[in-house]
Amino acid sequence: MKIRTLQYSLVQGIKGLFKNRLMSAASIGIISACLFILGVSYCVLLNIDYMVENFDDTLSIVTFLEGGLTEDQVNNLLTDIKSDTNVKTVIYTSPEEAWNEFKGELDANEDILAELEKDNPLSDSASFEIFLYDASKQEDFVTYINTLSGIRDCYYSQESIDVIVNFSVLLQYISLVLISILLAIATLLIANTIKIGLFIRRHEINIMKYLGAKDSFIRLPFIIEGILIGLIGALIPFGIIYYSYDYLITIINDEFYMLNDFIRFVELSQIVSILGPVFLGIGIGIGIIGSFLSIRKHLRV
């Protein structure tokens, strides 16, 4: 393609953008709204997944052992548990360690504690605290643990994980439906914008075809117009998210400072590295698709 042809198409595409500025603004607004919802949904879902991963390091399975186990039996159990590929860390707490921790938390008279220490009331409280790489698999792992000889009771946090995972899945479905609807509306609006441009320039296009202009030469300005609409519609929500994300995170941390030790947010750089290319790809893609949809039907004048 000649540079002169590309320059002409670019100029005509920009002119078309301003000639149909009302429809162009409507198309840009819909694309921006669609991608903004997409971006916000992505930020929420990514942070939920990130929090779930962090919870994996705090949610454990506490397994109490039967009383009277020998050191070899305890070591064999420990080996069996660690052999599971989903196990990240296992912390063993002996009855003596459990009693010492309990004493530190118990507000009682020293004489009473001394009397209790003669016969350790937690002599059957040896336990394993087990951390998994994926906390959502706790239920399956507990089923396996209960098949091992020497295990008395297991306590875990599967309900908490289920709530978080189900909430994440629900958000994904809601976001998918909203985004699909908005993408369809944005594509149709761009198509209608191009149709108006074709209608306004129908006589000019007719003359160009009689003079032997190729369809590709006629199409290109409208494709560029669609790309510009999609590009602008992508840059607006990207800029809003880019400049507001850290600010909102700061507000959340200040308002809910008591949760700062438990909640961690994804860095802006990680979000931008994904949203940038995705926004540009979707915006330009919608512009091209909308242009082709209208040109294919209305180019023959």
Side-chain angles (χ1 to χ4, degrees), residues 185-234:
I185 294 173
T187 303
L188 290 175
L189 271 175
I190 291 178
N192 287 330
T193 301
I194 302 300
K195 287 177 185 177
I196 292 174
L198 284 167
F199 180 80
I200 293 173
R201 298 178 59 191
R202 64 189 184 281
H203 298 302
E204 178 186 344
I205 292 172
N206 197 18
I207 293 172
M208 291 173 66
K209 293 201 68 175
Y210 278 123
L211 292 175
K214 296 181 179 179
D215 285 350
S216 59
F217 179 81
I218 300 174
R219 284 191 184 103
L220 191 56
F222 297 101
I223 294 175
I224 291 176
E225 181 181 344
I227 290 174
L228 289 173
I229 290 173
L231 186 61
I232 296 171

Side-chain angles (χ1 to χ4, degrees), residues 72-101:
D72 287 340
Q73 288 175 315
V74 172
N75 290 332
N76 289 335
L77 270 174
L78 184 59
T79 301
D80 289 339
I81 293 172
K82 285 185 174 180
S83 66
D84 192 292
T85 55
N86 198 39
V87 174
K88 183 177 183 180
T89 308
V90 181
I91 300 174
Y92 173 65
T93 302
S94 67
E96 292 75 18
E97 291 172 332
W99 171 241
N100 289 331
E101 290 179 8

Side-chain angles (χ1 to χ4, degrees), residues 238-292:
F238 180 80
I240 293 173
I241 292 174
Y242 182 84
Y243 288 106
S244 63
Y245 180 80
D246 282 339
Y247 176 71
L248 291 175
I249 296 303
T250 301
I251 292 177
I252 293 173
N253 287 332
D254 290 342
E255 291 294 328
F256 304 97
Y257 61 91
M258 295 181 65
L259 300 177
N260 288 346
D261 293 334
F262 305 98
I263 297 179
R264 294 287 184 274
F265 293 97
V266 177
E267 295 292 332
L268 175 62
S269 58
Q270 183 177 347
I271 291 176
V272 167
S273 64
I274 301 296
L275 282 188
V278 169
F279 273 22
L280 290 178
I282 292 177
I284 294 174
I286 289 176
I288 294 175
I289 293 172
S291 302
F292 270 108

Side-chain angles (χ1 to χ4, degrees), residues 62-65 90-95 98 124-129:
V62 179
T63 303
F64 289 98
L65 310 183
V90 181
I91 300 174
Y92 173 65
T93 302
S94 67
D124 293 333
S125 297
S127 64
F128 291 133
E129 187 175 10

Side-chain angles (χ1 to χ4, degrees), residues 16-25 193 196-197 200 225:
L17 192 67
F18 286 98
K19 283 181 180 178
N20 308 310
R21 52 185 173 271
L22 184 60
M23 288 296 295
S24 296
T193 301
I196 292 174
I200 293 173
E225 181 181 344

Side-chain angles (χ1 to χ4, degrees), residues 108-121:
N109 185 280
E110 291 184 4
D111 294 334
I112 296 176
L113 291 175
E115 188 66 27
L116 289 173
E117 197 161 5
K118 294 177 182 179
D119 183 19
N120 184 355

